[in-house]
Structures are given as C-alpha cells and as structure tokens.
Amino acid sequence: MRHIRNFSLLVFSLFALSWSYTVTADITDLDEAINKAGRQRMLSQRIVKSYLLIGQDIQPDKSSSQLTESVALFEQQLGELEAYSKSPQVSGLLKSVRKEWAGFRQLATAKPAKDKAIALINAGERVLALSNKVVLSLEQQSGAPKNKMINLSGRQRMLSQRIALYYSALSWNLDQADLEKSFTQAVQEYDEALHELRQAKINNQDINAALDKVISQWSFSRSGFQLMQGQSFVPFIIATTTEGMLKNMETITGLYENLQS
C-alpha cells in the first residue's frame, strides 16, 4: 500500500494539469484534417474509458464530464471532416463512421452498466477501425513526411486512452477473454511508436525536447502498470497518468502539424 500511495503522490506532482484541446470551426488544410481525424480515434477510446470509470464510481463527476465533452467533440469534428472532404473515398468512409457512431453514441450515453460494457467496448472498436481508415486515406492524399508523423503522433493520443480503457476493463473484472492481451499490446505499440517518433529525421529541436520529456514520463508511468501483477489495480492513478500522456502527445502532434513542409 505504501508503494501505491507514493506512486499517487508522484502522479499528482507530474500531471497536475488536465488535458485540453483547441478546436476551430472549420478545417482549412490537409494537415489539420489528418490531426482532427486522428483525434477521432482517441475520442472513441476516451468515451469507453470514461464509461468504465463511471461504472466503477471512479471520479464519477470528472469522468462524466469527460464522456460528455468527448461525445460532443466527436460529433463536432465528424461534421467538420464531412464538410472538408472532397474525396469520394474519404466521404464514403465518413458515411460509415456516421452510421456506426449513431449506435455507439447511444450505448455510451446510457447509464453505465457492467453487463453492457463489453458491447460498448466492441462498438468502440468498430468506430476506431473506421476512423483509422479515414486518417490513412487522408494521409495518402499528400504523402508528405510530416503527414505520416502527424498520423503517428496522433495515434499515440489514442493509445494513451486505449491503455486506460483496457486497464479499467481489467479492474472492473469484465467477463471477456483477451482484455489483458489488448492492454499489453497497447502498451507495446505506444512504446514502439515513441521510439520511432524520436528517431524521425524531420524532428526539430522543440519536437525532440518534447519527446524526451514524454520518454521520461512514460518510463515512470509504466511502473504503475506493474502493480497489476499482484492484482493491485489502481484505475484512478492510471487514468491520471494517461491524461498526462494524452496532453503531451496532443502538444507534439500540433508541433508536427505546424512544421513547414
């Protein structure tokens, strides 16, 4: 218990600031479109994570606010992407997202219940997969090196929330196989992509400095995951650490977006 308390104090000292985002009404270029489409992936996982935390009565007020804000932002950005798209392929994918989103939103905004959680997780997987196809299709329209990095760094935002989602599912002891496998895979993918980002030749000094900070904090965050080995789940702490991860990668994705091509 002392280890958990000490870890909690360190979490609060490192991640006292909550994640925030800046959203404009219209998408003006492809870089911004890729960034916002990438953020949709993150929101699909953030919505499920918030639902699972509410269901366990973990920071219910904050988790409820996150869920409400995430649903509203997903809806807003979906409309912005639909208005921006001139590609038949992207427009078709967005129609599929819109259709899947309707059912997902209905599940996510209902009163959280343990016996409905798996259905929501699965619906979130479908929204995530379709949203990822939108990002990849947009990226292919340019082929510029920085667009690949906007996609990759933006995907880290999603993985931060995916890690929190599956950790929360495990802490709630949901009855579905492969939850721990999905959690472990998300951690591994985050780790590998962080290394790839740091090695990117297009990085400037600001990006490298921001990534070095994330690498240091990521190493610390992973120590909290080790508590799972003794079935000592600390979902409140992991939710807090992954908020720091999200905030950092939101900043870095913006830095990639603002690079001069």
Side-chain angles (χ1 to χ4, degrees):
M1 290 301 294
R2 179 179 298 177
H3 176 68
I4 294 174
R5 286 195 297 270
N6 290 342
F7 186 69
S8 302
L9 291 173
L10 286 169
V11 165
F12 288 122
S13 66
L14 281 175
F15 305 118
L17 296 176
S18 61
W19 174 72
S20 62
Y21 50 84
T22 302
V23 181
T24 55
D26 298 307
I27 297 174
T28 59
D29 56 40
L30 184 58
D31 296 343
E32 184 181 4
I34 293 171
N35 189 356
K36 287 193 174 182
R39 191 183 288 125
Q40 296 289 80
R41 297 177 298 194
M42 178 276 291
L43 291 169
S44 73
Q45 305 300 281
R46 187 171 176 80
I47 288 167
V48 180
K49 176 209 72 173
S50 299
Y51 178 103
L52 298 177
L53 291 176
I54 296 167
Q56 297 173 75
D57 199 30
I58 297 169
Q59 291 185 295
D61 292 340
K62 182 176 181 179
S63 298
S64 294
S65 295
Q66 284 185 3
L67 193 154
T68 300
E69 292 167 2
S70 297
V71 167
L73 183 56
F74 190 103
E75 181 71 38
Q76 176 186 326
Q77 291 189 153
L78 181 54
E80 292 169 2
L81 289 163
E82 289 169 334
Y84 171 81
S85 176
K86 305 297 187 294
S87 160
Q89 181 181 9
V90 173
S91 295
L93 288 169
L94 288 169
K95 286 181 180 178
S96 297
V97 173
R98 174 70 71 180
K99 182 178 180 181
E100 196 65 54
W101 166 244
F104 176 59
R105 178 175 181 169
Q106 185 175 6
L107 287 170
T109 54
K111 183 178 179 180
K114 192 171 184 179
D115 61 351
K116 300 292 193 302
I118 296 300
L120 180 63
I121 291 173
N122 292 336
E125 291 293 293
R126 295 191 293 272
V127 172
L128 171 60
L130 288 169
S131 297
N132 189 56
K133 289 182 180 180
V134 173
V135 181
L136 295 177
S137 185
L138 287 168
E139 184 188 336
Q140 290 170 0
Q141 292 181 19
S142 167
K146 83 167 189 174
N147 291 140
K148 177 183 177 182
M149 306 317 291
I150 293 170
N151 176 11
L152 187 61
S153 61
R155 187 170 177 271
Q156 293 292 80
R157 297 175 298 191
M158 178 277 289
L159 287 171
S160 75
Q161 299 304 287
R162 190 169 177 80
I163 289 167
L165 183 165
Y166 279 104
Y167 188 97
S168 299
L170 287 163
S171 74
W172 208 4
N173 196 28
L174 296 182
D175 185 19
Q176 177 164 308
D178 295 334
L179 289 177
E180 187 167 353
K181 180 180 178 181
S182 296
F183 171 82
T184 301
Q185 182 177 348
V187 170
Q188 181 179 343
E189 289 177 1
Y190 189 97
D191 198 53
E192 292 173 352
L194 190 55
H195 178 75
E196 183 177 350
L197 286 166
R198 186 59 180 84
Q199 300 302 313
K201 294 180 180 180
I202 69 169
N203 292 359
N204 59 25
Q205 186 174 354
D206 289 340
I207 290 174
N208 280 333
L211 285 168
D212 285 341
K213 181 179 179 182
V214 172
I215 289 168
S216 176
Q217 293 181 337
W218 171 238
S219 177
F220 164 77
S221 298
R222 292 192 67 169
S223 66
F225 305 152
Q226 295 173 2
L227 297 172
M228 289 174 54
Q229 297 176 3
Q231 297 299 308
S232 299
F233 289 101
V234 284
F236 166 75
I237 294 173
I238 299 306
T240 305
T241 63
T242 51
E243 283 299 291
M245 293 160 57
L246 172 57
K247 179 184 176 183
N248 290 330
M249 292 313 306
E250 180 73 20
T251 298
I252 291 168
T253 304
L255 290 173
Y256 278 118
E257 182 184 341
N258 292 328
L259 276 178
Q260 296 300 314
S261 299

